[in-house]
Amino acid sequence: MSAIVLNGVRKSFGANEVLRGIDLTIEPGEVVCVIGPSGSGKSTLLRCVNLLETPTAGTVHVGGVDVTDPDCDIDAVRRRIGMVFQQFNLFGHLSVRDNLTIAQRRVLGRSKASAVEVARANLARVGLSEKAGAYPAQLSGGQQQRVAIARALSMDPELMLFDEPTSALDPELVGEVLAVMRGLADEGMTMLVVTHEMAFAREVSSRVVFLDGGVVAEQGPPAQIFGAPKEARTAAFLKRVLEPTHVDL
């Protein structure tokens, strides 16, 4: 069973059609990176997967469940999906440990002891065991994003969605977050990643999807997309991103 299947997904905001017929299938264990220019619909596509945005048309299946069906229990589906946003969205008044345990206890019904044990294990996965008692304001941006990843993992998701998770970070902090994501990929986690980090997409992803103007302009293995793109628009985008000082204005 495919992890995610999008069929003919469209999304409009008023007269602005952001997604114009997206067909995309992601298999369990795949790491799919979505790249493309700003305004191409990347984040909207991601948010349609767990119905943070409701598609105007088309269907979205997650683990075989049609989340666009009005009778779908979307909360039950969301419990199977971890999502990490551009901003960290941590509760500032709660410690790191409490940020990781609150949803476990209230949504999954775990005991305090069990939730703390899961939180401890996931903080270790992201290299922040010593920060359990700290508060978000005491952490760097990279550490806060790693806590956000650990929080998502503490819900035992079947797949992870990442919406430009390094875009709000200083350049020297990007690597520590990408290292955690690389580790998840190595563990076989199914991941759909919207990113501007081309090196990560090239080295870690199973497949790269180039989105432009609300449509999938090209997709394929990273070696093909970065080494020999078939579409002129893909090649132009990559040249602008990878060689910014050599682009004619």
Side-chain angles (χ1 to χ4, degrees), residues 80-93:
R80 300 156 54 187
I81 304 172
M83 186 160 185
V84 178
F85 300 87
Q86 297 177 30
Q87 300 299 325
F88 322 123
N89 295 331
L90 300 176
F91 296 113
H93 66 292

Side-chain angles (χ1 to χ4, degrees), residues 126-191:
V126 301
L128 290 174
S129 295
E130 76 284 1
K131 298 296 185 180
Y135 286 81
Q138 299 171 312
L139 305 178
S140 70
Q143 289 172 331
Q144 290 187 61
Q145 192 62 295
R146 283 190 281 160
V147 169
I149 294 173
R151 178 178 61 182
L153 292 173
S154 293
M155 301 298 286
D156 298 330
E158 298 173 10
L159 64 98
M160 291 282 289
L161 309 177
F162 292 88
D163 187 5
E164 298 187 29
T166 60
S167 64
L169 301 179
D170 292 334
E172 69 270 20
L173 302 178
V174 169
E176 62 191 52
V177 174
L178 294 181
V180 171
M181 295 171 64
R182 181 190 295 267
L184 293 177
D186 291 342
E187 293 173 12
M189 175 66 75
T190 306
M191 298 164 59

Side-chain angles (χ1 to χ4, degrees), residues 73-132:
D73 183 353
I74 188 61
D75 290 333
V77 176
R78 285 173 178 157
R79 286 196 286 271
R80 300 156 54 187
I81 304 172
M83 186 160 185
V84 178
F85 300 87
Q86 297 177 30
Q87 300 299 325
F88 322 123
N89 295 331
L90 300 176
F91 296 113
H93 66 292
L94 297 180
S95 69
V96 166
R97 182 187 299 106
D98 289 342
N99 266 281
L100 267 65
T101 58
I102 186 170
Q104 292 187 65
R105 298 177 66 186
R106 294 188 178 183
V107 177
L108 301 183
R110 287 177 177 156
S111 67
K112 180 178 180 180
S114 177
V116 167
E117 187 60 32
V118 171
R120 183 181 296 115
N122 283 304
L123 284 174
R125 288 173 80 179
V126 301
L128 290 174
S129 295
E130 76 284 1
K131 298 296 185 180

Side-chain angles (χ1 to χ4, degrees), residues 16-19 36-44 164 196 211-214:
N16 182 25
E17 189 174 36
V18 177
L19 298 179
S38 296
S40 59
K42 303 184 301 295
S43 293
T44 301
E164 298 187 29
H196 290 296
L211 208 66
D212 186 44

Side-chain angles (χ1 to χ4, degrees), residues 6 19 22 24 41-49 192 211:
L6 290 83
L19 298 179
I22 300 293
L24 183 64
K42 303 184 301 295
S43 293
T44 301
L45 181 153
L46 198 73
R47 293 169 66 88
C48 283
V49 172
L192 180 58
L211 208 66

